[in-house]
């Protein structure tokens, strides 16, 4: 009996010592399909943002062997409903918890529809070298072969890996590790939807085993954007080019109160039809800053293609897709509307 008691006490002590040595990962839950539930295992319609942070964590076997998990529900929504003020709230929350010396990394659970935008936004405003991982799922938690639990397990494995330090915000989905700047959603339903068309994944993670390839463009943990005292972000519109755009619609965009910037999802190399000349001139006269991106989906926009940038004082969006170019433009506009400086930002971040 004494021997049994002694061995129980010994295992308890070694468990406590093990738990004390494990890294602490802070999970911030925001909703999405990873927290979604459906009425049947094969249903394609479901309610995103139904499960709580606690329920998501409980659904992942072995997560507590990797790390001590602390958590908080920041909000619980379909990511299509995420607002710019949600972003500020989330970013401030990440900045707060990551500065706790006992926290090694942050994992954000998120809907996949706008995950890429949140990832890039956080990459530009979070001030830390500790890993920040964003993860989601394409299938709700109640589906056959739900992908959320393994994605979350892998996300925590990446978060605690020492090689993840100093790489900025990363996205972990379907065994891939992606740079938050480069990643984009490429398929409406497939679990392999997240890709970085210009750079490829920066690594892979298989059942928690992390393997980095290379780090691509420098991540932006030291980017100069600071949102701690910001209540709202500048208004920036995205204009998607297609054949025969109605220029009256474009003129109406310029009537938008407080519009500070426009990203043009141009055709091909960020090209803009000749008949939009007046729109460009009028927008610049109003001090609205214009970035050329492309609707094509991959590749970079060449500087001064068709003399557009020098003729109309525009900015070439490099290889950012339109929705990400909008984020960098919004953040740049917080401190400047100088076209040369903002162009420099597009070649740096
Ligand atoms: C969402 O973005 O919240 C819904 C879709 C998803 O998470 O896959």
């Amino acid at each position: 009996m004494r021997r049994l008691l002694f061995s129980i006490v010994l295992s308890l002590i070694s468990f406590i010592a093990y738990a004390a040595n494990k890294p602490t990962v802070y999970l911030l839950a925001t909703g999405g399909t990873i927290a979604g539930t459906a009425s049947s295992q094969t249903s394609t319609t479901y309610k995103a943002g139904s499960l709580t942070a606690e329920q998501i964590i409980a659904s992942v076997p072995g997560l507590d062997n990797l790390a001590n998990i602390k958590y908080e529900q920041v909000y619980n929504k379909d990511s299509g409903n995420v607002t710019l003020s949600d972003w500020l709230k989330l970013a401030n929350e990440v900045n707060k918890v990551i500065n706790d010396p006992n926290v090694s990394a942050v994992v954000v659970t998120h809907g996949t529809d706008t995950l890429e935008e949140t990832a890039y936004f956080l990459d530009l405003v979070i001030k830390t070298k500790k890993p920040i991982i964003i993860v989601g799922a394409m299938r709700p938690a109640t589906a056959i072969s739900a992908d959320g639990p393994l994605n979350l397990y892998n996300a925590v494995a990446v978060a605690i890996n020492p090689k993840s330090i100093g790489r900025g915000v990363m996205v972990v989905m379907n065994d891939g590790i992606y740079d938050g700047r480069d990643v984009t959603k490429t398929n409406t339903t497939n679990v392999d939807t997240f890709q970085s068309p210009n750079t490829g994944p920066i690594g892979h993670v298989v059942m928690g085993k992390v393997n980095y390839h290379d780090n691509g463009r420098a991540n932006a943990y030291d980017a100069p954007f600071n949102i701690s005292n910001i209540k709202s972000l500048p208004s920036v519109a995205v204009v998607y080019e297609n054949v025969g755009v109605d220029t009256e619609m474009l003129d109406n965009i310029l009537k938008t109160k407080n519009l500070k910037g426009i990203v043009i999802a141009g055709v091909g190399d960020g090209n803009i039809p000749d008949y939009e000349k007046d729109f460009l001139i009028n927008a610049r006269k109003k001090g609205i800053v214009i970035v050329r991106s492309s609707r094509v989906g991959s590749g970079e926009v060449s500087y001064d293609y068709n003399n557009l940038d020098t003729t109309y004082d525009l900015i070439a969006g490099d290889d950012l897709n339109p929705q990400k170019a909008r984020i960098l433009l919004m953040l740049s506009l917080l401190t400047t509307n100088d076209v040369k400086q903002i162009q420099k930002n597009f070649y740096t971040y």
Side-chain angles (χ1 to χ4, degrees):
M1 184 65 190
R2 282 177 81 183
R3 218 180 256 175
L4 181 68
L5 214 61
F6 180 70
S7 84
I8 290 172
V9 170
L10 208 64
S11 351
L12 210 63
I13 291 172
S14 57
F15 174 76
I16 291 167
Y18 172 64
N21 285 331
K22 271 191 300 186
T24 295
V25 170
Y26 218 109
L27 185 142
L28 297 176
T30 69
T33 297
I34 194 166
T37 52
S39 54
S40 90
Q41 287 186 299
T42 50
S43 175
T44 50
T45 51
Y46 55 90
K47 187 164 176 338
S50 302
L51 301 180
T52 62
E54 201 172 0
Q55 288 170 311
I56 297 173
I57 293 164
S59 73
V60 186
L63 202 61
D64 52 350
N65 292 332
L66 293 180
N68 299 312
I69 309 285
K70 285 177 136 186
Y71 61 89
E72 191 182 312
Q73 190 80 50
V74 186
Y75 36 87
N76 204 357
K77 14 169 110 177
D78 186 311
S79 77
N81 292 327
V82 166
T83 64
L84 298 182
S85 7
D86 288 334
W87 271 358
L88 296 176
K89 182 176 179 194
L90 176 63
N92 283 318
E93 205 50 52
V94 176
N95 268 331
K96 192 177 89 195
V97 298
I98 204 70
N99 283 325
D100 178 343
N102 297 319
V103 171
S104 303
V106 165
V107 169
V108 177
T109 55
H110 200 287
T112 62
D113 287 349
T114 62
L115 185 151
E116 62 183 273
E117 292 172 65
T118 301
Y120 186 47
F121 179 73
L122 293 180
D123 196 37
L124 291 172
V125 301
I126 300 302
K127 310 294 172 203
T128 186
K129 289 195 175 185
K130 293 180 190 174
I132 312 284
I133 313 299
I134 316 225
V135 63
M138 289 301 288
R139 297 178 184 144
T142 46
I144 299 178
S145 299
D147 52 333
L150 181 55
N151 283 348
L152 182 54
Y153 184 85
N154 280 338
V156 171
V158 172
I160 60 170
N161 191 293
K163 289 193 185 138
S164 301
I165 293 168
R167 290 179 187 263
V169 173
M170 292 178 281
V171 171
V172 170
M173 286 288 294
N174 198 39
D175 292 1
I177 310 172
Y178 301 90
D179 191 299
R181 177 185 182 276
D182 303 317
V183 73
T184 191
K185 185 174 183 177
T186 63
N187 188 285
T188 50
T189 54
N190 200 298
V191 290
D192 200 22
T193 181
F194 280 89
Q195 306 291 336
S196 293
N198 293 313
T199 59
I202 59 172
H204 279 97
V205 47
V206 180
M207 294 294 174
K209 192 165 175 294
V210 179
N211 177 20
Y212 278 106
H213 307 159
D214 205 351
N215 194 12
R217 183 187 279 235
N219 57 60
Y221 60 83
D222 57 353
F225 310 107
N226 194 335
I227 48 84
S228 49
N229 293 317
I230 296 297
K231 294 276 171 284
S232 63
L233 291 163
S235 169
V236 173
V238 176
V239 169
Y240 194 97
E241 294 294 353
N242 41 60
V243 170
V245 172
D246 182 342
T247 51
E248 192 188 336
M249 282 195 320
L250 297 179
D251 293 340
N252 279 328
I253 290 174
L254 297 185
K255 291 183 194 148
T256 310
K257 215 170 96 198
N258 292 329
L259 184 68
K260 297 284 185 287
I262 295 173
V263 172
I264 297 188
V267 295
D269 200 345
N271 203 7
I272 303 169
D274 294 344
Y275 59 79
E276 289 182 20
K277 181 175 146 210
D278 289 344
F279 166 65
L280 299 176
I281 293 170
N282 291 337
R284 290 300 295 128
K285 265 193 200 147
K286 282 172 162 267
I288 294 168
V289 177
I290 302 175
V291 172
R292 286 187 308 112
S293 176
S294 173
R295 67 177 199 172
V296 163
S298 68
E300 64 196 51
V301 162
S302 316
Y303 179 73
D304 211 21
Y305 182 77
N306 264 351
N307 303 322
L308 283 163
D309 300 330
T310 46
T311 308
Y312 299 108
D313 198 25
L314 312 183
I315 293 160
D318 199 18
D319 59 356
L320 288 180
N321 65 24
Q323 58 270 35
K324 292 200 177 186
R326 173 175 174 259
I327 294 168
L328 186 53
L329 181 55
M330 285 193 297
L331 290 170
S332 299
L333 287 168
L334 286 174
T335 52
T336 183
N337 57 9
D338 182 81
V339 165
K340 283 203 173 66
Q341 178 55 49
I342 298 177
Q343 179 68 76
K344 222 184 255 173
N345 288 351
F346 273 84
Y347 286 129
T348 310
Y349 303 113

